[in-house]
């Protein structure tokens, strides 16, 4: 488990503008106002938990139950192992963008924040997908002509992550030192949607989340141990 906080005044050219984490603009909104760029790193996750478990099912030859079972029975029900990896983390911070109203050709323009941001979560949108946070004009608006937007960096959070990877393995003993391992693995076993970040540009799709990744996958493997 990790509890952390990462702060910066520039995200740089790292990451990409798709997926669950979206960097802030690498350009300052106002080149003479460094303090206005101070905020959480785009990859900052306050809480991160990664845990795993490995369990040898105590059935089969050489195990607690069925130690004297036949080789044929052991080949079917003996020597199995179950493994799981649980990954959880909170959402990444998002920085909003808007057209330049300052007249300075700013390449990192942000909108005005008129009220505290409000995360709605998985609220269905008539446009399809989720309206992850309230993007209405009562909360966000364009900067006044000749001014910079009042919104800071990383002012609202996107969706977090909840995944469980699961595998089962079977060991076929050949000799005391040699065995063949069969594995069946499922990535994202619960098929929980891994949501992308919502829209961060001022407009009708601000806060709208319409993408996901990481559907459940299965894979199989054979490994020879000697």
């Amino acid at each position: 488990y990790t509890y952390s906080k990462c702060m910066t005044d520039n995200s740089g050219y790292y990451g990409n503008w798709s997926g669950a984490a979206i960097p802030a603009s690498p350009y300052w909104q106002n080149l003479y106002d460094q303090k206005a760029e101070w905020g959480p790193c785009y990859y900052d996750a306050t809480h991160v938990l990664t845990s795993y478990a490995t369990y040898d099912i105590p059935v089969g030859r050489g195990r607690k139950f069925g130690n004297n079972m036949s080789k044929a029975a052991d080949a079917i029900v003996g020597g199995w192992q179950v493994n799981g990896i649980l990954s959880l983390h909170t959402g990444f911070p998002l920085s909003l963008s808007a057209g330049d109203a300052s007249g300075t050709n700013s390449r990192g323009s942000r909108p005005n924040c008129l009220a505290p941001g409000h995360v709605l979560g998985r609220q269905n949108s008539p446009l399809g997908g989720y309206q992850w946070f309230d993007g209405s004009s009562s909360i966000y608006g364009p900067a006044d002509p000749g001014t910079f937007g009042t919104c800071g960096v990383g002012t609202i959070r996107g969706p977090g992550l909840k995944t469980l990877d699961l595998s089962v393995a079977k060991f076929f003993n050949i000799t005391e030192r040699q065995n063949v391992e069969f594995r069946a693995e499922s990535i994202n076993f619960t098929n929980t949607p891994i949501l992308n970040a919502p829209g961060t540009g001022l407009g009708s799709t601000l806060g709208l989340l319409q993408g996901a990744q990481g559907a459940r996958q299965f894979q199989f493997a054979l490994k020879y141990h000697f």
Side-chain angles (χ1 to χ4, degrees), residues 63-131:
R63 299 193 176 188
K64 185 175 181 180
F65 302 104
N67 184 45
N68 296 319
M69 70 172 51
S70 66
K71 290 184 178 181
D74 183 64
I76 298 174
V77 301
W80 286 95
Q81 182 185 85
V82 179
N83 309 279
I85 301 175
L86 176 67
S87 300
L88 307 171
H89 72 66
T90 49
F92 298 116
L94 302 171
S95 297
L96 310 185
S97 62
D100 174 39
S102 68
T104 65
N105 292 321
S106 171
R107 299 178 69 181
S109 300
R110 297 190 292 270
N112 277 345
C113 283
L114 309 175
H118 179 48
V119 174
L120 304 173
R122 299 189 183 196
Q123 177 174 296
N124 291 328
S125 168
L127 300 178
Y130 299 129
Q131 187 65 43

Side-chain angles (χ1 to χ4, degrees), residues 169-181:
K170 163 72 174 168
F171 296 87
F172 298 90
N173 294 320
I174 301 174
T175 67
E176 185 177 344
R177 295 185 177 183
Q178 300 180 66
N179 62 60
V180 173
E181 176 187 357

Side-chain angles (χ1 to χ4, degrees), residues 41 43 57 59 86-88 95 113 118 120 126 139 144 146 164 183 185 191 198 223:
C41 305
Y43 51 82
I57 298 176
V59 177
L86 176 67
S87 300
L88 307 171
S95 297
C113 283
H118 179 48
L120 304 173
I139 299 180
D144 296 328
L164 174 65
R183 299 183 67 86
E185 302 174 328
N191 206 30
K223 184 185 293 186

